[in-house]
Structure formats: structure tokens, C-alpha cells
Amino acid sequence: MTMAPERIGLRVELLLDQRWFAVCDLTDLIPGRGVAALLPDGTQVAVFLDRAGRPYAIDNRDPFTGAYVLSRGLLGSADGRPFVASPLLKQRFDLETGRCLDDETVTVQAYATRTELPAELLSPSRT
């Protein structure tokens, strides 16, 4: 029996400086859409959930315009690779590598992601 994500409190975490950092609950994400999150150093990331339930995260800043808008882009795939298309000039960025599919000289930071139960749900309860 599997439990729905909203019942077990899964969080989406990013690997930052060799440590996992929680950015949101899995239920905060809608498949096919992105959200922006702020990291401790002030960097904005765009977090996505694909229709298969896999999370991805890349920098939110569009390197072509300087605007923080990639979280509002459209998700798609090219040759089996997931991407987000910038809502401004439509350049596509690979969600796994951050590489721009339309200009190979441009990349954005891509982050390793995972879904994890909060520590308080993993530890045995004390009575």
C-alpha cells in the first residue's frame, strides 16, 4: 500500500555544498509547473515536478534577459530530456544539466534533488 505524498509529508531537497537543504513540500508542486524558492545565500531556484513525479531544480535567472522567470516557463522534452522553456525568449534549458538546448555556450546551475521525509517523521515517537 502506498500513501499519497500529502499524507506522509515528503519534502523536496536540493544538494547544496554537500548537504541536503529542504526547499518545499512535494505537495507545493504541481506536475508540469514550476515554483521559485530562495536559498540561504539569496540565490533563487526554479523547482519543477514533471508528470512522472520527479523533481528538478535549476537557477531561476534567465541568462539571456537577467530576469528571474524560469520558474514560470513551460516544461517539455527533447530527445527524451526534460527541459523548461523560458517564458520570455523561449530558450530551452535541460532540467538535468542546466545546458541551454538552443545555445550550447550558455548554461544555468542545475541542482541534484531528492524527496525525503522530515527527520521528525523518521524518528520514533517518545511518550
Side-chain angles (χ1 to χ4, degrees):
M1 177 174 158
T2 55
M3 296 183 76
E6 63 271 13
R7 304 226 176 199
I8 57 176
L10 284 174
R11 293 192 295 205
V12 176
E13 298 181 343
L14 308 182
L15 187 59
L16 302 173
D17 298 324
Q18 301 179 352
R19 298 179 73 190
W20 291 100
F21 177 77
V23 291
C24 65
D25 287 336
L26 187 60
T27 56
D28 293 333
L29 302 175
I30 298 171
R33 297 203 177 167
V35 298
L38 191 61
L39 299 181
D41 68 358
T43 301
Q44 285 189 32
V45 294
V47 184
F48 302 93
L49 187 67
D50 71 10
R51 298 206 186 275
R54 289 181 300 263
Y56 298 94
I58 61 172
D59 280 340
N60 194 33
R61 185 177 178 276
D62 180 337
F64 292 94
T65 65
Y68 292 87
V69 295
L70 292 181
S71 63
R72 292 186 276 166
L74 298 173
L75 294 186
S77 65
D79 298 323
R81 306 279 306 174
F83 70 80
V84 62
S86 172
L88 297 178
L89 300 177
K90 309 302 184 234
Q91 283 91 357
R92 299 167 300 153
F93 296 91
D94 186 304
L95 290 175
E96 293 176 343
T97 66
R99 183 177 61 87
C100 180
L101 302 178
D102 303 299
D103 183 342
E104 62 187 38
T105 66
V106 177
T107 61
V108 295
Q109 173 71 42
Y111 298 86
T113 62
R114 72 177 185 183
T115 54
E116 189 75 14
L117 281 172
E120 59 272 13
L121 293 179
L122 292 175
S123 61
S125 62
R126 297 180 185 170
T127 56

